[in-house]
């Protein structure tokens, strides 16, 4: 099913979906009707997100959660010290746990705000070499934007199955349980959005087409498993991990309808727009999805990509210029090279340019761009992304201990401007 935030309806068994009722007295086959809300009941209609699930057992059927003792690198809390105004960059970590599944292979690199504020975003990396077996993950703290960097993820959510290869991103709503299966090893990024659900950005003067088009978002059809046997539910809740064990698989939703659902999107379908005259536009022109804050135009989180595209601007410094922003920028690289850095930013790596940190091209990229013959040229074979937020990121201890020690040197040795005598 395609479309973003549209009203979907799907049933894995004919007749499972009630017609003309959300909660009939007796749903078909003895299924249980359950509403999953992604917004307050009274949110304006265009922001209202909810789906009705028809399942074999209600989610309410579980024993008390207890603290989860595994996955010490996922949701560990941020470093307990003042945040230095330093620019930070990381190579892909080489010491993530081996042999882990997706849950235990997650490591939190940075976050901002308390999940209980219903604002903020966290950035995690993952390295998994095993399928989740006999367990599911659910995040009460926010939706998960999964950005594979290597290896394909097969995600079985309550609302259906979807496959995510590198070059695709997947969005799993707050509260939706899922299991991830993999073959070989899989690495990538997760942006966890505690705030308003991601949506497509307004297009303003761009018009009714362009950037990410709604019809390119794919939502799975209903799929369920009928499994009686132990299934662990790991829940991230208010920044901590909790566990309980059911006597059945909770991936037992036979039919559902509504506009709150997982979806996936192929980044190659992004219609990039840029200058055809001069000057380098703000990176907001590359926004795929946005989570607004309560301040108009100031995003709680923007998911932005830097895809292959033509560069044709005349008398223009084509890479990003030097800048300092109120917004804070976490960047990752799925593959290829990012045009503002000559070296040191590897696929699977990460960088952080926080509130008012001066950054931009390194010396080599600046020199190359300043001397370039400005023929039309195409940036090819690359996909970088940014999760930009109005709340400064706070790195975790794990991240601080692994930051590149010499990142500042990327901006050393710029020649001094020569004023007329
Ligand atoms: Fe930047």
């Amino acid at each position: 099913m395609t479309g973003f935030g549209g009203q979907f309806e799907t049933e894995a068994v004919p007749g499972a979906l009630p017609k003309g009722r959300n909660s009939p007295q007796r749903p078909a086959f003895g299924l249980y009707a359950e509403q999953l809300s992604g917004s307050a009941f009274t949110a304006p209609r265009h922001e209202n997100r909810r789906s009705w699930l028809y399942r074999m057992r209600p989610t309410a059927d579980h024993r008390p959660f207890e603290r989860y003792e595994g996955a010490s690198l996922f949701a560990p809390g941020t470093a307990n010290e003042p945040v230095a105004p330093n620019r930070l960059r990381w190579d892909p970590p080489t010491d993530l746990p081996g042999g882990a599944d997706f849950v235990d292979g997650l490591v939190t690199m940075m976050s901002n705000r308390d999940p209980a504020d219903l604002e903020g975003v966290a950035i995690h990396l993952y390295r998994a070499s095993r399928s989740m077996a006999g367990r599911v993950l659910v995040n009460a703290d926010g939706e998960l934007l999964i950005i594979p960097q290597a290896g394909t993820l097969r995600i079985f959510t309550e609302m259906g199955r979807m496959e995510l290869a590198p070059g695709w991103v997947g969005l799993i709503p707050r509260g939706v349980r899922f299991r991830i299966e993999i073959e070989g090893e899989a690495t990538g990024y997760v942006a966890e959005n505690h705030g308003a659900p991601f949506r497509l950005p307004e297009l303003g003067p761009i018009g009714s087409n362009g950037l990410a088009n709604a019809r390119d978002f794919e939502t799975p059809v209903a799929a369920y498993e009928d499994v009686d046997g132990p299934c662990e539910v790991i829940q991230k809740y208010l920044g901590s991990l909790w566990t309980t064990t059911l006597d059945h698989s909770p991936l037992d939703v036979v039919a559902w309808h509504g506009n709150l659902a997982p979806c996936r999107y192929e980044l190659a379908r992004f219609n990039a727009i840029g200058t055809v005259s001069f000057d380098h536009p703000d990176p907001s022109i590359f926004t795929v999805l946005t989570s607004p804050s309560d301040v108009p135009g100031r995003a709680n989180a923007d998911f932005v990509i830097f895809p292959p595209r033509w560069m044709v601007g005349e008398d223009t410094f084509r890479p990003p210029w030097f800048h300092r922003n109120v917004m804070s920028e976490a960047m990752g690289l799925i593959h290829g090279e990012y045009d503002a850095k000559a070296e040191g930013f590897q696929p699977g790596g990460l960088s952080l340019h926080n509130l008012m940190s001066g950054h931009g091209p390194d010396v080599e990229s600046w020199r190359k761009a300043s001397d370039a013959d400005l023929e039309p040229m195409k940036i090819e074979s690359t996909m970088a992304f940014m999760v930009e937020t109005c709340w400064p990121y706070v790195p975790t201890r794990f991240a601080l201990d692994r930051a590149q020690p010499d990142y500042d040197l990327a901006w050393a040795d710029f020649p001094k401007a020569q004023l007329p005598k």
Side-chain angles (χ1 to χ4, degrees), residues 283 320-321 323-325 329 331 338 353 357 359-360 386 388:
W321 14 240
H323 55 288
R324 291 170 292 165
N325 292 349
E329 308 172 17
M331 276 195 67
Y338 173 58
H353 304 130
S357 294
H359 63 286
M386 176 163 73
E388 188 179 87

Side-chain angles (χ1 to χ4, degrees), residues 30-225:
L31 294 169
Y32 296 88
E34 181 180 283
Q35 182 172 232
L36 177 69
S37 293
S39 59
F41 295 140
T42 48
R45 185 175 278 267
H46 68 279
E47 294 195 359
N48 212 302
R49 308 264 187 116
R50 68 95 175 86
S51 285
W52 279 92
L53 281 51
Y54 302 93
R55 58 192 318 147
M56 297 174 71
R57 296 175 184 83
T59 301
D61 177 6
H62 69 80
R63 300 293 175 266
F65 281 88
E66 296 171 0
R67 287 298 292 270
Y68 179 66
E69 300 300 336
S72 60
L73 297 172
F74 178 37
T78 48
N80 188 22
E81 60 193 54
V83 185
N86 287 331
R87 302 151 302 190
L88 298 171
R89 190 167 66 183
W90 294 269
D91 295 328
T94 53
D95 56 347
L96 294 183
D101 66 9
F102 183 79
V103 178
D104 292 333
L106 279 162
V107 52
T108 304
M109 296 296 284
M110 60 187 80
S111 70
N112 54 44
R113 303 297 300 265
D114 189 308
D117 294 343
L118 302 184
E119 295 274 19
V121 61
I123 305 294
H124 315 278
L125 303 176
Y126 66 84
R127 172 188 167 204
S129 50
R130 201 158 54 80
S131 294
M132 291 168 65
R135 62 181 185 169
V136 297
L137 177 63
V138 58
N139 189 6
D141 287 346
E143 64 186 340
L144 298 176
L145 181 70
I146 302 176
I147 307 161
Q149 191 264 319
T152 295
L153 307 178
R154 290 196 309 272
I155 309 180
F156 190 169
T157 77
E158 286 179 271
M159 302 169 85
R161 296 183 171 99
M162 60 184 184
E163 198 169 278
L164 280 192
W168 291 73
V169 293
L171 191 58
I172 298 182
R174 184 193 296 264
V176 170
R177 300 167 185 215
F178 63 96
R179 183 175 69 224
I180 292 187
E181 295 167 357
I182 54 169
E183 278 163 27
E185 185 168 281
T187 57
Y189 306 83
V190 176
E192 176 185 353
N193 172 23
H194 306 143
F198 275 122
R199 61 202 61 184
L200 293 171
E202 295 300 331
L203 290 175
I206 293 173
S208 55
N209 302 287
L211 310 190
N213 287 305
R215 77 183 181 101
D216 292 324
F217 288 79
E218 300 176 359
T219 285
V221 296
Y224 69 98
E225 60 183 13

